[in-house]
Amino acid sequence: MPLTFPSRQSNSKPNRHSQGFLRHINRFFSGLINTAYDIGCNLLKSSLIEDDKSPIRSGHGVECGPFAITTTTFSIEHIKQIKTKLQVTVNDVITGVIIFGTRLYMQRANQDSSKGNCTALVLLNTRAIGGYKSVSEMIKPNAEMPWGNRFAFLQVSIPNLTASELNNPLKFVYKASQLIKRQRNSAAVYLTGQFLDAMTKIRGPEATARYIYGKLNNSSLMISNMIGPVEQMSLANIPIKGLYFTVPGIPQSLQLTIVSYVEKLRIVMSVEKGFIDPNKFKSCIEYAFEAISKAALE
C-alpha cells in the first residue's frame, strides 16, 4: 500500500488563518499604541508644546489681523492620473503637494526653517449625515443628529525638507500616505470628538473654545476640505464659475482650505498679511504640484 502525504493545500489553509490572525493582533496593538500616542500629543499640543517660529508661523495670535487670500486650481482628472500611477489616494496626492509646497516656501524664506518643528491640524467633520432633518427634530433630547457642529482635529507632523526629498518629490506623497494610513489605525479622532462633546457639556462652550484655540495657536497651519457640487450651479440664471470657503478668526498665520467643483479642485491659501507673501506661497504650491506630476507621470 503506497504512502500518502498531506497535500500543500491542506497545510496552507491553517497557515493563512494563522497569518490573518497575527495581522489582526498586530493591527489591534498598533492601533492601541497609535491611539495613546495621538491623544497624548493632542493634549500636550493644546497646553505645553508649540511649533517653532518660522516663515509660516509668527507665534502670536492673529485672529483679528488682516489676511490675504489667494487661490489656485488643479484638474481632478490630472490628480487621479497621479493617484493611479503611484497607487495612492487623492487625499495622499493633495496632502503631499501641500506639505512639499509649504516646506519649499519655508526653505526659500529661511534655509534653516525647512527642518523646524511644524505641525498641521486637519479639521474633520464628525457629524453624522443621514438626510435632511428639521431644526425641531435636531433640538430634541437624544436626537439622532443633534443641533450644532461636530468636528475633531487630526494632528499631522510635516516632514523635513532634505536634499533627497528635493530631488525626489514623490517621497512627500508616500510620507503623506503613510501618515494618513497610520492615523486611520487610531481611534484618536473619534475619542477627540467625544472629548470635545464631554467638555462642552461639563465645563461649557467657553472651556472648549479655549482648548481649541490653544491647539490652533500652538500649531503652524490648518487644513480643511469639503466635497463640492459635481455639476455647475447658477445664481439668478448666472453660471457660477467657481467657489471656495475659508475659516475666519483663527490664530494661525496660514490656513489652507480645499473644495472640489465640477472636476476642479481649488486650494485656498489664507495668509497673515505682511508676514507671508501670498504670491510666493502660491507659486511654491503650484511648483510642488508640477514637480510631483512630472515625477509620477514621466
Side-chain angles (χ1 to χ4, degrees):
M1 182 177 181
L3 296 175
T4 58
F5 297 94
S7 64
R8 291 183 179 181
Q9 184 177 2
S10 61
N11 283 334
S12 62
K13 188 173 182 179
N15 289 337
R16 286 198 298 268
H17 285 308
S18 60
Q19 291 174 0
F21 177 74
L22 290 176
R23 281 197 298 268
H24 286 301
I25 292 295
N26 291 334
R27 182 176 177 83
F28 174 76
F29 283 105
S30 63
L32 290 179
I33 295 173
N34 293 339
T35 301
Y37 176 81
D38 293 338
I39 291 177
C41 289
N42 287 338
L43 294 174
L44 292 174
K45 181 64 77 173
S46 63
S47 56
L48 299 177
I49 301 176
E50 62 178 277
D51 285 355
D52 299 329
K53 291 184 179 181
S54 67
I56 65 169
R57 182 176 185 267
S58 61
H60 56 83
V62 294
E63 60 271 17
C64 297
F67 277 79
I69 297 177
T70 184
T71 69
T72 185
T73 304
F74 302 123
S75 167
I76 293 180
E77 183 61 32
H78 194 173
I79 297 172
K80 289 181 178 179
Q81 291 176 2
I82 301 173
K83 177 204 78 167
T84 303
K85 195 72 174 180
L86 301 181
Q87 296 183 353
V88 293
T89 66
V90 171
N91 285 337
D92 296 337
V93 176
I94 295 301
T95 305
V97 168
I98 291 176
I99 291 174
F100 184 33
T102 300
R103 282 299 190 185
L104 279 176
Y105 177 84
M106 295 172 66
Q107 185 192 53
R108 293 176 181 180
N110 185 346
Q111 184 73 25
D112 295 333
S113 67
S114 62
K115 298 180 180 179
N117 182 26
C118 187
T119 305
L121 287 184
V122 182
L123 182 62
L124 301 174
N125 179 22
T126 59
R127 182 178 179 85
I129 301 176
Y132 172 79
K133 299 291 183 180
S134 64
V135 176
S136 59
E137 291 177 311
M138 289 190 288
I139 62 176
K140 291 179 179 179
N142 301 321
E144 181 182 354
M145 289 190 297
W147 174 264
N149 292 326
R150 299 291 185 273
F151 64 92
F153 287 106
L154 185 66
Q155 186 173 292
V156 178
S157 296
I158 296 182
N160 296 336
L161 179 61
T162 61
S164 61
E165 278 85 4
L166 195 59
N167 295 327
N168 184 11
L170 297 183
K171 288 187 177 181
F172 279 94
V173 178
Y174 292 128
K175 283 185 178 181
S177 179
Q178 292 173 359
L179 288 171
I180 293 174
K181 285 181 179 178
R182 179 195 166 279
Q183 294 286 354
R184 285 176 179 172
N185 190 25
S186 170
V189 173
Y190 171 78
L191 294 177
T192 300
Q194 296 297 315
F195 173 75
L196 294 176
D197 290 341
M199 180 181 290
T200 303
K201 294 177 182 178
I202 297 173
R203 302 183 58 187
E206 293 82 4
T208 306
R210 286 193 297 268
Y211 174 82
I212 295 174
Y213 178 88
K215 185 179 291 291
L216 289 167
N217 194 41
N218 289 345
S219 59
S220 297
L221 67 149
M222 187 203 73
I223 303 174
S224 181
N225 69 331
M226 65 179 296
I227 300 175
V230 297
E231 297 180 355
Q232 190 173 39
M233 303 186 302
S234 63
L235 182 63
N237 293 326
I238 300 176
I240 297 176
K241 294 183 178 180
L243 52 88
Y244 66 87
F245 74 98
T246 185
V247 183
I250 65 172
Q252 294 165 311
S253 301
L254 171 64
Q255 64 166 293
L256 295 101
T257 53
I258 308 161
V259 63
S260 60
Y261 178 61
V262 193
E263 294 302 318
K264 296 291 184 181
L265 193 76
R266 173 170 288 184
I267 299 179
V268 184
M269 294 146 280
S270 180
V271 303
E272 182 182 352
K273 202 169 185 178
F275 179 69
I276 299 177
D277 189 321
N279 294 324
K280 287 184 178 179
F281 191 88
K282 174 183 176 180
S283 66
C284 288
I285 294 293
E286 292 175 342
Y287 174 83
F289 181 81
E290 292 174 1
I292 290 174
S293 174
K294 183 178 180 180
L297 301 180
E298 296 184 5

